Coordinates of all heavy atoms in Angstrom, one line a residue:
M115 N 15.1 -5.9 66.3 CA 16.5 -5.9 66.2 C 17.0 -4.7 67.0 O 16.5 -3.6 67.0 CB 17.0 -5.8 64.8 CG 18.5 -5.8 64.7 SD 19.2 -5.9 63.1 CE 18.3 -7.2 62.3
S116 N 18.1 -5.0 67.8 CA 18.8 -3.9 68.5 C 20.3 -4.0 68.1 O 20.8 -5.1 68.0 CB 18.6 -4.0 70.0 OG 19.2 -5.2 70.5
L117 N 20.9 -2.9 68.0 CA 22.3 -2.7 67.7 C 22.9 -1.8 68.7 O 22.4 -0.6 68.9 CB 22.5 -2.3 66.3 CG 23.9 -2.1 65.8 CD1 24.6 -3.5 65.7 CD2 23.9 -1.3 64.5
Q118 N 23.9 -2.2 69.4 CA 24.6 -1.3 70.4 C 26.1 -1.2 70.0 O 26.7 -2.3 69.7 CB 24.4 -1.8 71.8 CG 23.0 -1.9 72.2 CD 22.9 -2.6 73.6 OE1 23.8 -3.3 74.1 NE2 21.8 -2.3 74.3
R119 N 26.7 -0.1 70.2 CA 28.1 0.1 70.0 C 28.7 0.6 71.3 O 28.1 1.5 72.0 CB 28.4 1.2 68.9 CG 27.9 0.7 67.5 CD 28.2 1.8 66.5 NE 27.5 1.6 65.3 CZ 27.9 0.9 64.3 NH1 29.2 0.4 64.3 NH2 27.2 0.8 63.2
S120 N 29.9 0.1 71.6 CA 30.6 0.6 72.8 C 31.1 2.0 72.6 O 31.3 2.4 71.5 CB 31.7 -0.4 73.2 OG 32.7 -0.4 72.2
S121 N 31.3 2.7 73.7 CA 31.7 4.1 73.6 C 33.0 4.3 72.9 O 33.3 5.3 72.2 CB 31.7 4.8 74.9 OG 32.6 4.1 75.8
D122 N 33.9 3.3 73.0 CA 35.2 3.3 72.3 C 35.2 2.8 70.9 O 36.2 2.8 70.2 CB 36.3 2.6 73.2 CG 36.0 1.1 73.3 OD1 35.1 0.6 72.7 OD2 36.8 0.5 74.0
G123 N 34.0 2.3 70.4 CA 33.9 1.8 69.1 C 34.5 0.5 68.8 O 34.6 0.1 67.6
R124 N 34.9 -0.2 69.8 CA 35.6 -1.5 69.6 C 34.7 -2.7 69.7 O 35.1 -3.8 69.5 CB 36.8 -1.6 70.6 CG 37.8 -0.6 70.3 CD 39.1 -0.7 71.1 NE 39.0 -1.5 72.3 CZ 40.1 -1.7 73.0 NH1 41.3 -1.2 72.7 NH2 40.0 -2.5 74.1
R125 N 33.4 -2.5 70.1 CA 32.5 -3.6 70.2 C 31.2 -3.2 69.7 O 30.6 -2.1 69.9 CB 32.3 -4.1 71.6 CG 31.4 -5.3 71.8 CD 31.2 -5.8 73.2 NE 30.6 -4.8 74.1 CZ 29.3 -4.7 74.3 NH1 28.5 -5.5 73.6 NH2 28.8 -3.8 75.1
V126 N 30.6 -4.1 68.9 CA 29.2 -4.0 68.4 C 28.4 -5.2 68.8 O 28.9 -6.3 68.7 CB 29.2 -3.9 66.8 CG1 27.7 -3.8 66.3 CG2 29.9 -2.7 66.4
K127 N 27.3 -5.0 69.4 CA 26.4 -6.1 69.8 C 25.1 -6.0 69.1 O 24.5 -4.9 69.0 CB 26.1 -5.9 71.3 CG 25.2 -7.0 71.9 CD 25.0 -6.8 73.4 CE 24.1 -7.9 73.9 NZ 23.9 -7.8 75.3
L128 N 24.7 -7.1 68.5 CA 23.5 -7.2 67.7 C 22.6 -8.3 68.3 O 23.1 -9.4 68.6 CB 23.7 -7.5 66.2 CG 22.5 -7.5 65.4 CD1 22.6 -6.7 64.1 CD2 22.0 -8.9 65.1
Y129 N 21.3 -8.0 68.4 CA 20.3 -9.0 68.8 C 19.1 -8.8 67.9 O 18.6 -7.7 67.8 CB 19.9 -8.9 70.3 CG 18.9 -9.9 70.6 CD1 19.2 -11.2 71.0 CD2 17.5 -9.6 70.6 CE1 18.3 -12.2 71.3 CE2 16.5 -10.5 71.0 CZ 16.9 -11.8 71.3 OH 16.0 -12.8 71.6
G130 N 18.6 -9.9 67.3 CA 17.4 -9.7 66.4 C 16.5 -10.9 66.6 O 17.0 -12.1 66.8
E131 N 15.2 -10.7 66.5 CA 14.2 -11.8 66.6 C 13.5 -11.9 65.3 O 13.2 -10.9 64.6 CB 13.3 -11.5 67.7 CG 13.9 -11.6 69.1 CD 12.9 -11.3 70.2 OE1 11.7 -10.9 69.9 OE2 13.3 -11.5 71.3
A132 N 13.1 -13.1 64.9 CA 12.4 -13.3 63.7 C 11.0 -12.8 63.9 O 10.4 -13.0 64.9 CB 12.3 -14.8 63.3
L133 N 10.4 -12.1 62.9 CA 9.1 -11.7 62.9 C 8.1 -12.9 62.8 O 8.3 -13.7 61.9 CB 8.8 -10.7 61.8 CG 9.5 -9.4 61.9 CD1 9.3 -8.5 60.6 CD2 9.2 -8.6 63.1
G134 N 7.2 -13.0 63.7 CA 6.3 -14.1 63.7 C 6.8 -15.5 64.0 O 6.2 -16.5 63.6
G135 N 8.0 -15.6 64.6 CA 8.6 -16.8 64.9 C 9.4 -16.8 66.2 O 9.5 -15.8 66.8
A136 N 10.0 -17.9 66.5 CA 10.7 -18.0 67.7 C 12.2 -18.0 67.5 O 13.0 -18.1 68.5 CB 10.4 -19.3 68.5
D137 N 12.7 -17.8 66.3 CA 14.1 -17.8 66.0 C 14.7 -16.4 66.3 O 14.1 -15.4 66.4 CB 14.4 -18.1 64.6 CG 15.8 -18.7 64.3 OD1 16.5 -19.0 65.3 OD2 16.1 -18.8 63.1
H138 N 16.1 -16.4 66.6 CA 16.8 -15.2 66.9 C 18.2 -15.3 66.4 O 18.7 -16.4 66.1 CB 16.7 -14.8 68.4 CG 17.5 -15.7 69.2 ND1 17.2 -16.9 69.6 CD2 18.8 -15.5 69.7 CE1 18.1 -17.4 70.4 NE2 19.1 -16.6 70.5
V139 N 18.9 -14.2 66.4 CA 20.3 -14.2 66.1 C 21.0 -13.2 67.1 O 20.3 -12.1 67.5 CB 20.6 -13.8 64.7 CG1 20.2 -12.4 64.4 CG2 22.1 -14.0 64.3
S140 N 22.1 -13.5 67.6 CA 22.8 -12.6 68.6 C 24.3 -12.8 68.5 O 24.8 -14.0 68.4 CB 22.3 -13.0 70.0 OG 23.0 -12.2 71.0
F141 N 25.0 -11.7 68.5 CA 26.5 -11.8 68.4 C 27.1 -10.5 68.9 O 26.5 -9.5 69.0 CB 27.0 -12.1 67.0 CG 26.7 -11.0 66.0 CD1 27.7 -10.0 65.8 CD2 25.6 -11.1 65.2 CE1 27.4 -9.0 64.9 CE2 25.4 -10.1 64.3 CZ 26.3 -9.1 64.1
N142 N 28.4 -10.6 69.2 CA 29.3 -9.5 69.5 C 30.3 -9.5 68.4 O 30.8 -10.5 68.0 CB 29.9 -9.6 70.9 CG 29.0 -9.4 72.0 OD1 28.4 -8.4 72.2 ND2 28.7 -10.5 72.7
L143 N 30.7 -8.3 68.0 CA 31.8 -8.1 67.0 C 32.8 -7.2 67.7 O 32.5 -6.1 68.0 CB 31.3 -7.5 65.7 CG 32.3 -7.3 64.6 CD1 32.7 -8.7 64.1 CD2 31.7 -6.5 63.5
Y144 N 34.0 -7.7 67.9 CA 35.1 -7.0 68.5 C 36.1 -6.6 67.5 O 36.4 -7.3 66.6 CB 35.8 -7.8 69.6 CG 34.9 -8.3 70.7 CD1 34.2 -9.5 70.7 CD2 34.7 -7.4 71.8 CE1 33.4 -9.9 71.7 CE2 33.9 -7.8 72.9 CZ 33.2 -9.1 72.8 OH 32.4 -9.4 73.8
V145 N 36.7 -5.4 67.7 CA 37.8 -5.0 66.8 C 39.1 -5.0 67.8 O 39.1 -4.2 68.7 CB 37.6 -3.6 66.2 CG1 38.8 -3.2 65.4 CG2 36.3 -3.6 65.4
V146 N 40.0 -5.9 67.4 CA 41.2 -6.1 68.2 C 42.4 -5.9 67.3 O 42.5 -6.6 66.3 CB 41.2 -7.5 68.9 CG1 42.5 -7.6 69.7 CG2 40.0 -7.7 69.8
A147 N 43.2 -5.0 67.6 CA 44.4 -4.7 66.8 C 44.1 -4.5 65.3 O 44.7 -5.0 64.5 CB 45.5 -5.8 67.0
G148 N 43.0 -3.8 65.1 CA 42.5 -3.5 63.7 C 41.8 -4.7 63.0 O 41.5 -4.6 61.9
Q149 N 41.7 -5.8 63.7 CA 41.0 -7.0 63.1 C 39.6 -7.2 63.7 O 39.5 -7.2 65.0 CB 41.9 -8.2 63.3 CG 43.2 -8.1 62.7 CD 43.1 -8.2 61.1 OE1 42.4 -8.9 60.6 NE2 43.9 -7.3 60.5
A150 N 38.6 -7.5 62.9 CA 37.3 -7.8 63.4 C 37.3 -9.3 63.9 O 37.8 -10.2 63.2 CB 36.3 -7.6 62.4
R151 N 36.6 -9.5 65.1 CA 36.5 -10.9 65.6 C 35.0 -11.1 66.0 O 34.5 -10.4 66.8 CB 37.3 -11.0 66.8 CG 38.8 -10.8 66.5 CD 39.7 -11.5 67.4 NE 41.1 -11.3 66.9 CZ 42.1 -11.4 67.7 NH1 42.0 -11.7 68.9 NH2 43.3 -11.2 67.2
L152 N 34.4 -12.0 65.3 CA 33.0 -12.3 65.5 C 32.8 -13.4 66.6 O 33.5 -14.4 66.6 CB 32.4 -12.9 64.2 CG 31.0 -13.3 64.2 CD1 30.0 -12.1 64.5 CD2 30.6 -14.0 62.9
K153 N 32.0 -13.1 67.5 CA 31.7 -14.0 68.6 C 30.2 -14.2 68.7 O 29.4 -13.4 69.4 CB 32.2 -13.4 70.0 CG 33.7 -13.1 70.0 CD 34.5 -14.4 70.0 CE 35.9 -14.1 70.1 NZ 36.7 -15.3 70.2
P154 N 29.7 -15.2 68.1 CA 28.2 -15.6 68.2 C 27.9 -15.9 69.6 O 28.7 -16.5 70.3 CB 28.1 -16.8 67.2 CG 29.3 -16.7 66.4 CD 30.4 -16.1 67.2
C155 N 26.6 -15.6 70.0 CA 26.1 -16.0 71.3 C 25.3 -17.2 71.2 O 24.1 -17.2 70.8 CB 25.3 -14.8 71.8 SG 26.2 -13.3 72.0
E156 N 25.9 -18.3 71.6 CA 25.3 -19.7 71.7 C 24.6 -20.1 70.4 O 23.4 -20.6 70.5 CB 24.3 -19.7 72.9 CG 25.0 -19.4 74.2 CD 24.1 -19.4 75.4 OE1 23.0 -19.9 75.3 OE2 24.5 -18.9 76.5
M157 N 25.2 -19.9 69.3 CA 24.7 -20.3 68.0 C 25.8 -20.5 67.1 O 26.9 -20.0 67.3 CB 23.6 -19.3 67.5 CG 24.2 -18.0 67.2 SD 22.9 -16.8 66.7 CE 21.8 -17.0 68.1
P158 N 25.6 -21.3 66.0 CA 26.7 -21.5 65.0 C 27.1 -20.2 64.3 O 26.3 -19.3 64.0 CB 26.0 -22.4 64.0 CG 24.9 -23.0 64.7 CD 24.4 -22.0 65.7
R159 N 28.4 -20.0 64.1 CA 28.9 -18.9 63.4 C 28.3 -18.7 62.1 O 28.0 -17.5 61.7 CB 30.4 -19.1 63.3 CG 31.2 -18.0 62.6 CD 32.7 -18.5 62.5 NE 33.5 -17.4 61.9 CZ 34.0 -16.4 62.6 NH1 33.9 -16.3 63.9 NH2 34.7 -15.5 62.0
Q160 N 28.0 -19.8 61.3 CA 27.5 -19.7 60.0 C 26.0 -19.1 60.0 O 25.6 -18.4 59.1 CB 27.5 -21.0 59.3 CG 27.2 -20.9 57.8 CD 28.2 -20.1 57.1 OE1 29.4 -20.2 57.2 NE2 27.7 -19.1 56.3
K161 N 25.3 -19.3 61.1 CA 23.9 -18.8 61.2 C 24.0 -17.2 61.3 O 23.2 -16.5 60.6 CB 23.2 -19.3 62.5 CG 21.8 -18.7 62.6 CD 21.2 -19.3 63.8 CE 19.8 -18.8 64.0 NZ 19.1 -19.4 65.2
V162 N 25.0 -16.7 62.0 CA 25.2 -15.3 62.1 C 25.6 -14.7 60.8 O 25.1 -13.7 60.3 CB 26.2 -14.9 63.2 CG1 26.6 -13.5 63.2 CG2 25.7 -15.3 64.6
I163 N 26.5 -15.4 60.1 CA 27.0 -14.9 58.8 C 25.9 -14.9 57.8 O 25.7 -13.9 57.1 CB 28.2 -15.7 58.4 CG1 29.4 -15.5 59.3 CG2 28.6 -15.4 56.9 CD1 30.5 -16.5 59.1
D164 N 25.1 -15.9 57.7 CA 24.0 -16.0 56.8 C 23.0 -14.9 57.1 O 22.4 -14.3 56.1 CB 23.3 -17.4 56.9 CG 24.2 -18.5 56.3 OD1 25.2 -18.2 55.6 OD2 23.9 -19.7 56.6
F165 N 22.7 -14.6 58.3 CA 21.7 -13.6 58.7 C 22.2 -12.2 58.2 O 21.5 -11.5 57.6 CB 21.5 -13.6 60.2 CG 20.6 -12.4 60.6 CD1 19.3 -12.5 60.5 CD2 21.2 -11.2 61.1 CE1 18.5 -11.4 60.9 CE2 20.5 -10.1 61.5 CZ 19.1 -10.2 61.4
V166 N 23.4 -11.9 58.6 CA 24.0 -10.6 58.2 C 24.1 -10.4 56.7 O 23.7 -9.4 56.1 CB 25.3 -10.4 58.9 CG1 26.0 -9.1 58.4 CG2 25.2 -10.3 60.4
A167 N 24.5 -11.5 56.0 CA 24.6 -11.4 54.5 C 23.3 -11.2 53.9 O 23.1 -10.6 52.8 CB 25.3 -12.6 54.0
G168 N 22.2 -11.8 54.4 CA 20.9 -11.8 53.8 C 20.0 -10.7 54.4 O 18.8 -10.6 53.9
F169 N 20.4 -9.9 55.3 CA 19.6 -8.9 56.0 C 19.2 -7.8 55.0 O 20.0 -7.3 54.2 CB 20.3 -8.2 57.1 CG 19.5 -7.2 57.8 CD1 18.4 -7.5 58.6 CD2 19.7 -5.9 57.6 CE1 17.7 -6.6 59.2 CE2 19.0 -4.9 58.2 CZ 17.9 -5.2 59.0
R170 N 17.9 -7.5 55.0 CA 17.3 -6.4 54.2 C 16.4 -5.6 55.1 O 15.4 -6.2 55.6 CB 16.5 -7.0 53.0 CG 17.3 -7.8 52.0 CD 18.3 -7.0 51.3 NE 19.1 -7.8 50.4 CZ 20.3 -8.4 50.7 NH1 20.8 -8.2 51.8 NH2 20.9 -9.1 49.8
P171 N 16.7 -4.4 55.4 CA 15.8 -3.6 56.3 C 14.4 -3.4 55.7 O 14.2 -3.4 54.5 CB 16.5 -2.2 56.4 CG 17.5 -2.2 55.3 CD 17.8 -3.6 54.8
D172 N 13.5 -3.3 56.6 CA 12.1 -3.1 56.3 C 11.9 -1.7 55.8 O 12.1 -0.8 56.6 CB 11.2 -3.4 57.5 CG 9.7 -3.3 57.2 OD1 9.4 -2.9 56.1 OD2 8.9 -3.7 58.1
K173 N 11.6 -1.4 54.6 CA 11.5 -0.1 54.1 C 10.3 0.7 54.6 O 10.2 1.9 54.5 CB 11.5 -0.1 52.5 CG 12.8 -0.6 52.0 CD 12.7 -0.7 50.5 CE 14.1 -1.3 50.0 NZ 14.2 -1.2 48.6
A174 N 9.3 -0.1 55.2 CA 8.1 0.6 55.7 C 8.3 1.3 57.0 O 7.5 2.1 57.5 CB 7.0 -0.5 55.9
R175 N 9.5 1.1 57.6 CA 9.7 1.7 58.9 C 10.7 2.8 58.8 O 11.6 3.0 58.3 CB 10.2 0.7 59.9 CG 9.1 -0.3 60.2 CD 9.5 -1.3 61.2 NE 8.4 -2.3 61.3 CZ 8.3 -3.1 62.2 NH1 9.1 -3.2 63.2 NH2 7.3 -4.0 62.2

């Protein structure tokens, strides 16, 4: 997984790959006029929401 923030703090980009599989998740999150706007990259919005809601970091790393 990689997470990048723009220097002005108005954009967050996330890309993650499934361990041992071919699946991935990718999106940009923009803050416009104080409101967050999710922009999935070529995938359903719900897939991104489910991934983020279910994410648990690997404690071994």
Side-chain angles (χ1 to χ4, degrees):
M115 176 171 318
S116 66
L117 181 70
Q118 299 174 340
R119 296 179 193 270
S120 63
S121 59
D122 63 6
R124 296 185 341 176
R125 181 177 65 90
V126 175
K127 179 179 181 178
L128 181 134
Y129 178 83
E131 295 179 351
L133 297 175
D137 202 12
H138 74 279
V139 67
S140 179
F141 67 86
N142 290 292
L143 181 69
Y144 298 93
V145 178
V146 178
Q149 298 291 319
R151 300 207 178 155
L152 178 64
K153 300 292 183 177
C155 299
E156 300 181 16
M157 64 187 52
R159 178 182 184 88
Q160 193 59 50
K161 180 177 179 177
V162 171
I163 292 168
D164 291 344
F165 173 82
V166 171
F169 179 75
R170 301 292 178 265
D172 183 354
K173 295 179 183 190
R175 294 182 186 193

